[in-house]
Amino acid sequence: MYRYFSLFAFLFVSSALPAMAQQTEMPILFSVGTSCSDAESYATNYPEKAKSVGVQTLLGLAAETCTLPVGDITPAEAEDALEDKRIAWDMRGDTLTLYARSEKTPIVCCSLHSPDWTSLSEDDLWATRLRMTNLQQSMLHFFMMGDEDETELSWRGPDAPAALPFTTNPDTPLAGTVLEETLDSPQLNETRKLSIYLPPDHDPNGNWPVLVLADGEEADYYGRLVEERTLSGEVRPFVVIGLHSGSDAIVHEKTFDFDVRAGDYLPEYRDAPERFDAHLEWVTETVLPWAREEFGVTTKTSETVVAGKSNGAVFALQAALLRPDVFRHAIVMSPGYMPLASTPDTGGKKARFLISAGTYEPSFYYSADAAVRTLEDAEYDVSFRPFYAGHYIDQWDVALHDALAETFPPGE
């Protein structure tokens, strides 16, 4: 599921890169395809643009990760590296070389955003090479779109965050309970799916803290992540409300001429500008009151958290900005879309934001960095955590796992 979610998000933002570059008057700095020589000469060639804080952020990323020439690679060398696979790699020092077999320019998801592929032959051999100064601290995961053999490459450097134990032992039984529910939405005029995680010894007459999780279909998976913290006593037990996303979230088949997930999660989305407000109202005015009745979820703002990744991170960011009377904390991981430029007037109430992004997903990192700067200027409580990673669940798992101790601390 995560493989195809990440690919969808990767393609969605990749398609938006030209518009983002035009609106911000920036060239290819939004991808890791920037050549090392271009990155070094950018400030000289574009002195006025280089003064921008946002451009300085992107130039910093490009100085750490940029594209090197591949003219020394022969088709025979690529064949040897690939053998019978469609994707392969070679790591030497701080240099990563990727090889691919594809009739067209390869689409390789998801840890490097839009690398610059070079054709090595008239047949189907391609290569790209990157200088990655933080390779030993990196988390990388690759697969190729349309790869029938589903070859996957994974790397977690010796200095990278450790893999969470539950991901290496998937057979560990879940101590809590997962429920699959449906709930009408008068705001959207549809019935939608929800996945609910309840902690062990859950009492519906209790007063449970709650996490509202965008793209939360895999409640069993997230339940295991949560239990790594709660069963050890590092985090208070809490309920998770997993919001399903996209057209699959709707019980009865409906026809849409727009991306439903984007409409639900992105304010003023061009193809459905009113849908975000309706979806947010459904969460705050229908889902949470229902969860209080059914599962004993708290009414305390201080114990109500919203989280998401990619477009779901935009939803988490905006939900906490617009409704700090509902959400005290927002865990915002790799927010997509256009950067946050202003904050709403909420009468002095302000949520707290824990924001993260990967340095190998420059457009998402740029949006995250812009959100942090905008929130800091408006005197919000905000923290930022960078990862040497791309648009994939390896960094999101760590970010969410660690953020839980700050949003649901023990002993309260």
Side-chain angles (χ1 to χ4, degrees):
M1 182 264 184
Y2 302 109
R3 173 180 174 129
Y4 295 104
F5 164 79
S6 297
L7 178 58
F8 177 82
F10 181 88
L11 295 174
F12 180 88
V13 173
S14 296
S15 67
L17 283 179
M20 292 177 70
Q22 182 177 12
Q23 181 165 337
T24 54
E25 298 183 340
M26 296 181 195
I28 200 172
L29 288 175
F30 277 121
S31 79
V32 297
T34 306
S35 72
C36 297
S37 59
D38 284 349
E40 293 168 357
S41 65
Y42 185 90
T44 301
N45 296 334
Y46 304 93
E48 292 304 314
K49 294 178 184 177
K51 294 177 182 177
S52 158
V53 175
V55 174
Q56 290 177 14
T57 296
L58 292 172
L59 284 173
L61 298 183
E64 295 178 351
T65 306
C66 54
T67 299
L68 295 167
V70 295
D72 61 309
I73 301 176
T74 66
E77 289 173 330
E79 287 280 11
D80 288 343
L82 287 164
E83 297 179 335
D84 60 346
K85 301 182 292 292
R86 291 192 61 200
I87 183 173
W89 61 11
D90 177 63
M91 293 184 184
R92 302 187 184 187
D94 65 355
T95 301
L96 170 67
T97 304
L98 282 170
Y99 305 93
R101 192 189 308 278
S102 177
E103 294 180 358
K104 300 179 180 179
T105 303
I107 299 177
V108 176
C109 187
C110 290
S111 287
L112 293 174
H113 201 175
S114 301
D116 185 26
W117 290 94
T118 297
S119 175
L120 300 179
S121 68
E122 295 181 359
D123 299 323
D124 58 356
L125 298 175
W126 301 77
T128 187
R129 176 179 286 155
L130 296 102
R131 183 182 71 201
M132 304 175 70
T133 59
N134 298 297
L135 188 55
Q136 300 306 306
Q137 298 166 267
S138 297
M139 296 179 287
L140 300 174
H141 191 93
F142 300 107
F143 60 88
M144 182 182 293
M145 182 177 179
D147 184 358
E148 295 180 357
D149 296 328
E150 297 192 350
T151 301
E152 298 194 32
L153 307 175
S154 293
W155 160 260
R156 190 177 291 264
D159 300 323
L164 301 183
F166 86 99
T167 63
T168 59
N169 189 12
D171 295 329
T172 302
L174 189 69
T177 303
V178 170
L179 303 175
E180 301 299 334
E181 303 282 350
T182 62
L183 188 64
D184 289 340
S185 171
Q187 299 87 349
L188 294 164
N189 192 30
E190 57 200 32
T191 302
R192 296 180 64 98
K193 302 173 186 176
L194 297 165
S195 293
I196 310 297
Y197 165 79
L198 303 176
D201 302 319
H202 173 263
D203 179 357
N205 296 314
N207 191 30
W208 296 90
V210 60
L211 170 67
V212 177
L213 182 63
D215 298 307
E217 292 91 337
E218 299 293 326
D220 184 82
Y221 181 89
Y222 287 110
R224 296 173 198 281
L225 186 155
V226 166
E227 288 182 357
E228 284 203 356
R229 309 307 306 270
T230 57
L231 296 183
S232 66
E234 299 170 293
V235 167
R236 276 179 301 159
F238 59 92
V239 171
V240 179
I241 300 175
L243 306 176
H244 289 220
S245 61
S247 57
D248 289 341
I250 302 167
V251 173
H252 304 293
E253 186 174 342
K254 294 177 69 173
T255 301
F256 297 91
D257 58 0
F258 59 87
D259 179 344
V260 175
R261 180 171 176 268
D264 288 347
Y265 290 166
L266 305 181
E268 299 180 1
Y269 176 60
R270 63 182 182 273
D271 296 327
E274 299 177 356
R275 190 170 175 90
F276 170 86
D277 290 336
H279 180 260
L280 176 58
E281 183 179 336
W282 175 63
V283 172
T284 58
E285 308 306 319
T286 301
V287 175
L288 283 171
W290 167 79
R292 290 169 191 141
E293 292 288 331
E294 293 290 323
F295 309 117
V297 164
T298 185
T299 59
K300 295 180 180 178
T301 301
S302 61
E303 297 180 348
T304 304
V305 182
V306 60
K309 56 188 179 290
S310 195
N311 281 352
V314 179
F315 174 77
L317 174 67
Q318 292 291 335
L321 275 174
L322 295 169
R323 296 301 305 270
D325 58 314
V326 176
F327 302 107
R328 175 63 181 91
H329 307 274
I331 303 170
V332 180
M333 301 170 286
S334 302
Y337 207 46
M338 300 306 294
L340 179 70
S342 62
T343 58
D345 181 1
T346 54
K349 292 184 178 180
K350 293 181 177 179
R352 178 188 182 208
F353 295 88
L354 293 84
I355 301 178
S356 61
T359 61
Y360 306 145
E361 46 172 4
S363 60
F364 297 91
Y365 192 101
Y366 174 81
S367 292
D369 179 70
V372 171
R373 287 185 278 109
T374 297
L375 292 168
E376 287 178 339
D377 289 345
E379 299 183 342
Y380 279 78
D381 184 353
V382 56
S383 64
F384 179 56
R385 183 179 182 182
F387 289 93
Y388 298 112
H391 204 67
Y392 200 66
I393 198 167
D394 46 15
Q395 64 151 319
W396 301 328
D397 277 354
V398 175
L400 180 60
H401 175 273
D402 292 354
L404 295 178
E406 298 189 50
T407 53
F408 298 109
E412 291 191 7

